[in-house]
Amino acid sequence: MSLPQHIPQVHAASSSNQFSTESYFQTQRPPTGLDEKVNRVTAFSDKWRQVGKKVVLVTSGGTTVPLESNTVRFLDNFSAGTRGATSAEYFLKAGYAVIFLHRLHSLRPFSRHYSHSLNPFLDLLTITESTSPDGQPSVTVDKKYTATLIPILQAYHTARAQGTLLSIDFQTVNEYLWLLRAIAKPMSTLGRKGMFYLAAAVSDFFLPDDKVAEHKIQSNKGTLSLEMDQVPKVLRPLVQEWNPEGYIVSFKLETDQALLIPKSRAALSRYGHQLVIGNDLHKRKYEVVFVERKQQPIGGILAPRKGKGDQRLLGAETPPVAEIELDGEKMFKPVEEYSEKWLRLADVPRDGREGEIEIEEVIIQELVDRHEKWIAAAQ
Ligand code: PMT
């Protein structure tokens, strides 16, 4: 029996790697333009820190995984960036300065209301023939759309005039990881006034630099088999090293609703951050669940110091601890109890309001409160 001769493989199955966060950043090339983006974030954070404003980093959209360095093909995921773009608007409304770290060409605050599929912009406009001597027709917004457009336009102009929205884009998972790490540093000067709202759908798998085909993979060779390596979870270093004072909110996406709460609890326990917002893929636009510890430890978790046998205490309080094994390491952590709060659009009182209510409005109201308490707890 003859075997296929030329199956293109991006890399051999036997050579897969386990990347720690450290080894990832030691081996993977930083994206071009990183410094310029980080400088913009630094200037933005400094400006708002000086006036005591709260700053939130909203991550948004999917990440791509290129299959070739001269990229023709890439793997992607479903996220359009609706959660992130919508949330950014409500954070601005709640008085935050917003760093919007988004996937290139995904939805953006304000313009999201008029994307090419939803309310196409050209449909709003009409041409009015000129009555003036120059004979030039003018373009106006059709009257039936102005009532909806005006508040959106006003909020957009306010954010522009005040400089409260900074947009930074990424495309690949590698760009996302480098940016997140680099941005966490200038944001750490904000202390507890900084919030991380990690709504991006980050790929769990990638092709390391040394295993990516340089040129377009040829299609005339049969099948294409890929073996990808695991992207290290960056939540742990974010919480424990890069920005230990920030209020950190991660999202947990599942397609099996029964997994939402156990997986969200596991993430809290594993990474030691403040809040996980669980969402089911199919119900995410009208239902989410907040999962958090019943007592927020003022500090965090007790863990072995990297590479050394001793332990360190992150934070001031020492709640009762339990010894557990995590990723092969012995860890000490608080015995935790959790609470869950479901937010459902169906339960939101309308109070005479007309029109659609978005779940992100409800999420951000809840978060502002919790973030205030987080800030106050340190004082
Ligand atoms: O954009 P939309 O269409 O509106 O969809 C919104 C959303 C469903 C994408 C969003 O609400 C959401 O759930 N985002 C997180 C999806 C996700 O990546 O879940 P996860 O279970 O794979 O990861 C959990 C958390 O770990 C995430 O907050 C992520 O930031 C973080 N993570 C992920 C990968 C990685 N290598 N390191 C990480 O720290």
Side-chain angles (χ1 to χ4, degrees):
M1 190 178 83
S2 69
L3 292 170
Q5 292 300 299
H6 299 290
I7 296 175
Q9 294 217 331
V10 172
H11 68 88
S14 58
S15 58
S16 77
N17 282 323
Q18 274 289 332
F19 283 90
S20 65
T21 309
E22 288 81 5
S23 64
Y24 182 92
F25 288 111
Q26 276 160 11
T27 55
Q28 304 306 299
R29 272 190 291 274
T32 52
L34 179 68
D35 289 348
E36 183 269 329
K37 287 177 178 173
V38 176
N39 289 342
R40 284 164 60 207
V41 172
T42 306
F44 186 85
S45 295
D46 284 351
K47 171 177 153 183
W48 293 118
R49 180 178 41 78
Q50 280 159 20
V51 295
K53 205 173 177 72
K54 289 177 288 180
V55 178
V56 61
L57 174 78
V58 175
T59 70
S60 185
T63 57
T64 66
V65 179
L67 304 190
E68 300 127 342
S69 318
N70 295 284
T71 308
V72 175
R73 303 186 187 88
F74 53 81
L75 293 182
D76 204 350
N77 64 48
F78 71 96
S79 171
T82 313
R83 174 81 81 227
T86 311
S87 302
E89 282 180 31
Y90 288 107
F91 275 120
L92 288 165
K93 200 170 171 188
Y96 281 74
V98 177
I99 301 163
F100 184 62
L101 181 62
H102 66 285
R103 157 78 182 277
L104 188 69
H105 306 313
S106 64
L107 293 177
R108 297 177 67 152
F110 309 115
S111 65
R112 68 167 176 113
H113 297 273
Y114 301 99
S115 69
H116 54 269
S117 51
L118 178 82
N119 300 326
F121 190 63
L122 292 179
D123 290 356
L124 269 61
L125 306 177
T126 49
I127 299 171
T128 309
E129 290 310 325
S130 170
T131 49
S132 62
D134 69 4
Q136 282 295 318
S138 58
V139 174
T140 50
V141 174
D142 196 315
K143 267 214 162 51
K144 63 176 181 278
Y145 300 116
T146 51
T148 317
L149 177 62
I150 284 170
I152 296 167
L153 210 49
Q154 278 168 336
Y156 170 71
H157 284 306
T158 304
R160 277 189 70 126
Q162 296 178 345
T164 44
L165 175 62
L166 174 68
S167 292
I168 303 281
D169 61 52
F170 63 83
Q171 196 149 15
T172 66
V173 64
N174 186 51
E175 279 177 275
Y176 172 85
L177 295 173
W178 277 93
L179 276 163
L180 183 67
R181 185 176 79 152
I183 288 173
K185 197 169 172 209
M187 278 192 71
S188 63
T189 64
L190 297 159
R192 290 198 169 211
K193 288 202 168 166
M195 189 198 293
F196 289 75
Y197 182 84
L198 303 170
V202 182
S203 174
D204 287 320
F205 302 100
F206 80 117
L207 285 169
D209 285 342
D210 61 349
K211 293 173 181 168
V212 178
E214 188 187 348
H215 292 290
K216 183 185 169 201
I217 299 167
Q218 294 303 308
S219 60
N220 58 351
K221 304 254 175 87
T223 57
L224 172 66
S225 61
L226 289 174
E227 187 177 88
M228 307 179 91
D229 290 26
Q230 204 167 6
V231 174
K233 281 277 180 195
V234 290
L235 257 171
R236 191 187 304 172
L238 175 66
V239 176
Q240 296 184 13
E241 295 163 33
W242 305 343
N243 203 309
E245 283 295 294
Y247 187 82
I248 298 181
V249 181
S250 73
F251 279 78
K252 175 53 59 193
L253 175 70
E254 290 298 336
T255 53
D256 176 356
Q257 177 133 351
L259 294 178
L260 268 186
I261 291 176
K263 296 274 250 179
S264 299
R265 286 178 174 187
L268 278 182
S269 166
R270 184 172 274 250
Y271 306 121
H273 59 304
Q274 284 69 45
L275 175 70
V276 178
I277 303 180
N279 53 176
D280 177 302
L281 179 69
H282 304 293
K283 299 182 185 168
R284 69 189 191 278
K285 297 200 183 206
Y286 52 91
E287 179 180 288
V288 299
V289 58
F290 275 36
V291 182
E292 56 201 325
R293 282 181 211 84
K294 273 197 178 142
Q295 291 104 9
Q296 284 292 351
I298 293 189
I301 67 170
L302 203 57
R305 189 169 293 184
K306 285 251 146 45
K308 299 196 181 142
D310 61 341
Q311 295 140 27
R312 73 180 156 155
L313 176 64
L314 299 172
E317 273 190 2
T318 324
V321 292
E323 191 179 312
I324 57 159
E325 197 157 309
L326 198 61
D327 300 339
E329 275 181 304
K330 278 227 161 35
M331 309 277 275
F332 296 86
K333 60 185 293 303
V335 177
E336 290 166 339
E337 289 183 82
Y338 304 94
S339 66
E340 288 94 35
K341 181 170 181 178
W342 285 92
L343 306 181
R344 294 188 178 93
L345 276 187
D347 301 335
V348 177
R350 299 204 61 96
D351 297 330
R353 264 177 67 172
E354 284 179 18
E356 188 198 356
I357 296 179
E358 294 174 303
I359 190 83
E360 288 78 7
E361 179 178 355
V362 189
I363 295 175
I364 278 56
Q365 274 166 5
E366 291 274 340
L367 280 182
V368 169
D369 215 41
R370 284 166 171 76
H371 190 199
E372 283 300 337
K373 286 190 182 129
W374 174 251
I375 296 166
Q379 284 158 2

